[in-house]
Amino acid sequence: MGLGVARRATAIALLTLLGTGCGILPGGSQIQVQSETLPWVDVSRYHTYAWWTAPLETSRRGYSQTEALLDWRIRKAVDRDLGARGYAPATAGRPDFVVAYRLAISETSTESFRDYLSYPAEGGHQGMGDSFMDYQRGTLMLTVEDAATRRLAWRAQASAALEGGDGRGSKIDPAVRGMFERVPVSAR
């Protein structure tokens, strides 16, 4: 599979993942979230940020409409949650931190009853007879790097079993919100 085809498949699968649900956030949604602030950083002292890369919609590299839409939705959700915590995009000079994201898909299967029991918690919705099969698990990872030291300051991920869905990306906002839940408010 070529890099472009793999990247498109990843974008489509992650759009489906975030459109249908993923693991364990309050309220019973299926989004599994983990986050960590590294011990050498006081994130609340940051004020401004920038994205590691430019939006796909501005790229000339030939990204698909689905990839550009997924990129836009992730950036919009991250910008909104950072803004709610008092962080602002840098308009001049060097930002305090840089934000990046990555999407990944892994192949897994439910080959035992124990696997079946964990499958619904990962966002799977097929019945017992259908669940002993291969399926994809998708993960959205966010990182924050200190712009001055270039050291990792914070990281988080949201993940779930991938299944068909409406592709509207309705779970991107709650996934990102869950990822930023423990990020302190800027000390502005």
Side-chain angles (χ1 to χ4, degrees):
M1 185 182 298
L3 182 59
V5 173
R7 193 174 287 167
R8 282 186 179 83
T10 299
I12 291 168
L14 260 295
L15 186 58
T16 301
L17 157 75
L18 295 169
T20 60
C22 345
I24 303 169
L25 280 177
S29 67
Q30 296 294 311
I31 303 171
Q32 293 179 337
V33 175
Q34 298 174 339
S35 66
E36 172 184 34
T37 301
L38 285 297
W40 54 80
V41 177
D42 180 2
V43 177
S44 69
R45 297 176 80 183
Y46 295 150
H47 305 293
T48 62
Y49 70 94
W51 283 92
W52 182 257
T53 60
L56 293 185
E57 66 191 34
T58 63
S59 175
R60 294 184 182 186
R61 296 181 78 182
Y63 292 100
S64 73
Q65 190 173 18
T66 301
E67 290 170 307
L69 181 60
L70 179 59
D71 178 71
W72 177 80
R73 286 182 171 146
I74 292 169
R75 288 170 187 270
K76 181 180 167 190
V78 169
D79 288 341
R80 184 175 38 249
D81 275 67
L82 285 173
R85 286 168 176 71
Y87 302 99
T91 55
R94 184 173 63 187
D96 296 320
F97 64 94
V98 177
V99 180
Y101 76 87
R102 194 170 75 114
L103 305 172
I105 296 176
S106 59
E107 298 290 330
T108 190
S109 63
T110 58
E111 297 174 355
S112 68
F113 187 69
R114 182 178 187 176
D115 291 342
Y116 169 74
L117 292 176
S118 65
Y119 173 70
E122 295 178 0
H125 299 289
Q126 297 185 37
M128 177 112 170
D130 298 328
S131 65
F132 290 93
M133 74 221 160
D134 294 333
Y135 67 97
Q136 293 181 322
R137 179 174 178 77
T139 304
L140 168 63
M141 293 159 277
L142 293 174
T143 59
V144 165
E145 183 179 287
D146 184 286
T149 65
R150 296 185 177 205
R151 290 180 75 183
L152 183 65
W154 175 87
R155 61 184 164 203
Q157 68 179 32
S159 63
L162 300 178
E163 293 185 349
D166 60 10
R168 291 180 294 142
S170 61
K171 295 294 181 177
I172 290 174
D173 287 341
V176 170
R177 194 173 311 116
M179 294 165 91
F180 280 108
E181 215 168 59
R182 288 187 257 163
V183 171
V185 172
S186 177
R188 283 194 160 202

